[in-house]
Amino acid sequence: MGTGLEWAWLLIALPLVSGAVLLIGGRRTDRWGHLLGVATPLASFAIGVYLFARMLGLPPEERHHDVSLFSWIPVGSFQVDVGLLLDPLAICFVLLITGVGSLIHIYSVGYMADDPDRRRFFGYLNLFVAAMLLLVLADNFLVLYVGWEGVGLASYLLIGFWYYKPSAAVAAKKAFIVNRVGDFGLSVAIMIMFTTFGTVSFGPIFDNVDAAGTGVVTAIGLLLLLGATGKSAQLPLQSWLLDAMEGPTPVSALIHAATMVTAGVYLVVRAGPIFEAAPQAQLAVAIVGAATALFGAIIGCGKDDIKKALAASTMSQIGYMHLAAGLGPAGYAFAIAHLLAHGFFKAGLFLGAGSVMHAMKDEVDMRRYGGLARVMPVTFVTFGFGYLAIVGFPGLSGYFTKDAIIEATFAFGGTAGTLLGAAALLGALLTAFYMSRVMFMTFFGDRRWADGVHPHESPRVMTWPMIALAVGSVAAGAVFTLGGRMVTFLESAVGAPEEHHAFNPFTPIGLATLAAMVLGAVIAWTSFGRRPVPSTAPKGSFVTVAARRDLYGDAVNESVFMRPGQWLTRTLVFFDNRGVDGLVNTLAAFVGGTSGRVRRLQTGFVRSYAMAMFVGAVAVVAALLLVRL
Amino acid sequence: MSVLFWLLAVASVAAALGMIFSRRAVYSALMLAVVMLSLAVLYAVQDAPFLAFVQVIVYTGAVLMLFLFVLMLVGVDSSDSLVETLRGQRFAATVAALGFVLLLAVGVGNAALGDVAGLAGANAGGNLQAVAGLIFTRYVFAFEVTSALLITAALAAMVLAHRERRHPKLSQKELAKQRFLGPHPTPLPPPGVYARHNAVDMPARLPDGSPAELSVSPVISRREPERREEIEEGEKQ
Amino acid sequence: MTPINLIVLSFVLFTIGAVGVLVRRNAIVMFMCVELMLNAANLAFVTFARMHGNLDGQIAAFFVMVVAAAEVVVGLAIIVSIFRTRRTASVDDANLLKY
């Protein structure tokens, strides 16, 4: 193995150190903090590119490098070393995280320019990037868990960045708590892995996974899936994602495109050998993915808040990735390809949305937008490319990656394959519909702006990252998919699919996908493009109302978990007060009451005390006489 | 000898009972003097002339005078109320006292007291010399400690009785000013005028028969008027 | 004048002093009663000295007198300072230190 790959630890250390400097340095670093905060992810990106180049120079079977750093927990048979695993899967994520992350950092310099706490914001962003890099570079589940928790913490801090807004504080708490549910699944899975395999390292576990019973492996797989649903906002732990829009828009871009939500997909793909040994768990992943893809798409159709519509679309797209990851080796490469492409166009869309909000004085209601295409040409064009990419316009990235997933799903075979494929196809139609809706309501039609709003194009520090991401949105899909590049590159890390399809858009399914996309866009045009959009939301049908209310996800959580939980705690508190405390209090009251009566003997009259002494003296004399006589 | 003992015994017990039952503290002090003098005589006849003189000089002469002095200082009120306020205190005291005396008597009666050795041998060179010899040899350490105790007690009495002066001392001129410009240019009424008692805590009577509070020194008039009325009523009956 | 008579006289005087302490409220009179108890003890000491034929009892009585003198000085000073602040010599009035 050549030199150079050992330097992988710098990837994590750079943003971590700069985050620490910014957060510990405090106000002294206010003036140059954002520059340091931008420089370190860029440096990490440069290192990532260098490592990627070194890796491409190696033959495929050697593209797997362990960097052992130090021994973390050496306790008897429980040995955990902190080590980094550098393989094609990890390097894909490294490039995505540092590349897209750096663009978002640059954009934030402009977006947060007026915020007095910009330095703190960059400190959190760096922490976020460092934690995510640790997550994808870990060579065992325990170190992965550290990164996993770090991501949760950083997301909490960033969503609640404007902590003085009650809604932001609540959203941050909600994200953290919902994530804890998923983290619980992951931690239990790690414990089961340790008791079953005696180690938490990837290699030994994946090698011995066949030796363990199917039941155990299925349990591990389902618990890992629980962890993945929490981080990736999949059903049933999806509720935090829409509220997470309370954070600053670059945070949304970072969470949705480069970090956080992709962690679940990474976990499922990384733990591929476990899922392959547990087909039920694998099918569960696919079902969860397909269900979430539809769920998110339906919510996206009902939202008037531009950020929430995009958030719903993230949920839906991550659902596609899980669907692909649940198909086994046949889908891993497509899941990762879609993830990378999604990283580009979703980051571009969010940055575009942020740019629009910036111009509209933080207005998020799309019914107050309209006709912005002429006012903000750069934003319009970059957003437009992102839009075309996500709906799958031929030639752009989403077209290649999403089509590949849908085809792989139908190729899965059986009833399950057909049903999942149909869901994915329906999802594609809905995606086209709600994204076209966003597009029409924002950039076309009448100007429904509020009074005193004068939109303008954003500064260059914000537009250049958007342009870079737009280029990525256009090109990424073709680069990854054509010629099976992604499949070949990831082969050594996640295994090869059984049969290898060259990309061919002219299959019946490919044509159906295209038709669905066109149909969705046309429906959107007839509803929102051709007719004027009312400034206030119409009442809408039952489905619209449900979508506006996140398909009652919060209501379900409230009635199923919160209310019974409150009843339970109230019962326990009652029992604690009356039962446990009652016993203790009764005892204390008894002692207190007794002493309250006994202390009445202390009258304060010195003659009473003298009397007690005299009587005592008589008693002593009597006792002496009794003994002597 | 026996006659003397019985005489002194009856006198001292009677004086002791008189002391605890007398309503006036001054009478109690005088009764105590009687007891102490009786005991001094009993010491003398028991070959303890040194102690007898110390008893007379120190106890009767100094300590008892100190009692009387403090009595005068805090004000000789005419009498104490003998009404018991603590419930059952007297009954319990009586029972305990009788039990105590009986128990001790039984104990002494059962003890083999033996013959009286007499102090003729010990006092051969004179009682005072013998006592001095013991004090300055065997008990010399205790004696020195006693001296330290006395000095400490004297200092303690000074500290306890000392009062800080919080205001500058008034000069003769200021006192005169205060007196003649105050509400009473005339002399204050002396105590006891038209009164039924000549005790200093009894206010004088004004011509209409009401008590003149000004006639009693503020140091002495510590009892509330109703209480004093009550005492006077008791005196009448 | 047998010793037993003197001892019993001492007991009686001691008990009378104790009763006085218990029933009188005036602090000065209480003090006098304490002195009476001390004197009764002294009488017993002197009598025992004569019984045993040595002077140790008389020495003990002498020390008792010295200590009693010191006690009276301090005790009366305390009474005076209490009287100064509370305007009373009754021990029942100084009963704040209680439950």
Side-chain angles (χ1 to χ4, degrees), chain A residues 37-104:
Chain A
V38 171
T40 46
L42 275 174
S44 283
F45 179 59
I47 297 171
V49 170
Y50 169 73
L51 294 176
F52 180 60
R54 299 287 306 201
M55 192 175 276
L56 283 184
L58 294 168
E61 57 274 14
E62 288 180 20
R63 292 174 179 171
H64 187 94
H65 186 56
D66 272 313
V67 186
S68 190
L69 294 180
F70 56 90
S71 181
W72 182 23
I73 308 177
V75 184
S77 64
F78 186 51
Q79 300 282 338
V80 180
D81 292 346
V82 172
L84 303 182
L85 171 66
L86 208 57
D87 68 353
L89 178 62
I91 203 79
C92 282
F93 274 87
V94 167
L95 289 177
L96 173 73
I97 295 161
T98 55
V100 177
S102 297
L103 291 174
I104 293 169

Side-chain angles (χ1 to χ4, degrees), chain A residues 158-201:
Chain A
L158 283 167
I159 294 168
F161 182 74
W162 289 318
Y163 51 81
Y164 40 81
K165 277 165 56 181
S167 57
V170 168
K173 204 161 66 181
K174 185 175 181 184
F176 197 73
I177 291 171
V178 174
N179 265 297
R180 294 305 310 166
V181 178
D183 297 347
F184 168 75
L186 179 57
S187 60
V188 173
I190 293 173
M191 291 174 207
I192 296 178
M193 279 189 251
F194 180 71
T195 50
T196 312
F197 304 109
T199 176
V200 292
S201 294

Side-chain angles (χ1 to χ4, degrees), chain A residues 310-560:
Chain A
L310 291 177
S313 114
T314 301
M315 203 190 285
S316 165
Q317 298 301 314
I318 301 286
Y320 275 110
M321 296 171 210
H322 274 276
L323 171 60
L327 299 176
Y332 290 154
F334 300 138
I336 300 301
H338 191 55
L339 193 154
L340 296 179
H342 175 256
F344 283 108
F345 59 67
K346 185 52 62 69
L349 287 171
F350 264 113
L351 296 192
S355 176
V356 170
M357 283 163 56
H358 205 61
M360 303 296 287
K361 292 196 174 169
D362 289 333
E363 175 66 70
V364 291
D365 189 356
M366 291 191 289
R367 294 187 185 276
R368 312 296 297 178
Y369 293 170
L372 288 171
R374 284 171 177 276
V375 190
M376 307 179 69
V378 180
T379 305
F380 168 61
V381 171
T382 54
F383 197 93
F385 276 120
Y387 155 71
L388 292 176
I390 193 172
V391 300
F393 190 78
L396 274 72
S397 60
Y399 171 65
F400 296 103
T401 55
K402 199 191 290 177
D403 187 53
I405 289 174
I406 295 172
E407 290 209 32
T409 312
F410 277 110
F412 186 64
T415 323
T418 313
L419 284 176
L420 294 172
L425 206 56
L426 183 58
L429 190 154
L430 288 170
T431 305
F433 171 74
Y434 69 76
M435 282 313 296
S436 307
R437 177 171 170 272
V438 170
M439 201 66 191
F440 291 136
M441 287 175 81
T442 304
F443 291 104
F444 298 103
D446 308 328
R447 298 184 172 182
R448 304 178 298 276
W449 310 337
D451 295 335
V453 172
H454 304 289
H456 52 86
E457 187 54 273
S458 295
R460 279 194 203 151
V461 73
M462 288 168 69
T463 51
W464 278 109
M466 288 152 61
I467 293 168
L469 288 169
V471 172
S473 311
V474 174
V479 172
F480 296 149
T481 319
L482 289 183
R485 281 202 194 90
M486 201 69 183
V487 177
T488 321
F489 182 63
L490 289 176
E491 201 174 320
S492 64
V494 299
E498 286 147 17
E499 44 188 328
H500 201 67
H501 294 284
F503 180 74
N504 179 9
F506 300 109
T507 56
I509 295 162
L511 292 173
T513 312
L514 209 55
M517 185 267 284
V518 172
L519 184 61
V522 166
I523 295 172
W525 187 73
T526 53
S527 312
F528 299 99
R530 206 176 54 182
R531 282 187 289 185
V533 181
S535 291
T536 50
K539 200 172 168 205
S541 66
F542 165 71
V543 183
T544 317
V545 173
R548 280 183 193 144
R549 305 191 51 187
D550 303 348
L551 291 184
Y552 304 111
D554 285 339
V556 168
N557 282 345
E558 190 176 313
S559 54
V560 176

Side-chain angles (χ1 to χ4, degrees), chain B residues 134-216:
Chain B
L134 273 178
I135 286 177
F136 291 110
T137 54
R138 198 191 299 172
Y139 295 103
V140 66
F141 185 68
F143 187 69
E144 293 299 329
V145 171
T146 312
S147 67
L149 177 71
L150 282 173
I151 291 176
T152 313
L155 280 174
M158 282 168 63
V159 169
L160 285 170
H162 178 69
R163 183 157 47 172
E164 289 289 335
R165 181 183 290 281
R166 294 204 175 79
H167 310 287
K169 195 177 178 188
L170 298 178
S171 66
Q172 189 69 33
K173 192 179 170 187
E174 285 163 325
L175 280 173
K177 229 182 226 173
Q178 211 172 51
R179 181 62 188 273
F180 287 108
L181 296 181
H184 288 281
T186 56
L188 295 173
V193 179
Y194 298 122
R196 302 166 56 84
H197 301 268
N198 57 357
V200 287
D201 66 330
M202 282 297 159
R205 297 282 167 154
L206 295 174
D208 61 350
S210 58
E213 295 298 332
L214 278 172
S215 66
V216 180

Side-chain angles (χ1 to χ4, degrees), chain A residues 599-607 609-612 614, chain C residues 18 21-25 30 91-92 94-95 97-99:
Chain A
R599 76 186 176 137
R600 292 278 158 194
L601 290 176
Q602 300 289 321
T603 53
F605 292 114
V606 72
R607 293 190 296 135
Y609 306 157
M611 173 63 85
F614 190 52
Chain C
V21 169
L22 294 182
V23 300
R24 294 305 296 261
R25 261 173 305 184
M30 276 177 81
V91 292
D92 282 4
N95 67 344
L97 188 65
K98 59 182 176 184
Y99 48 84

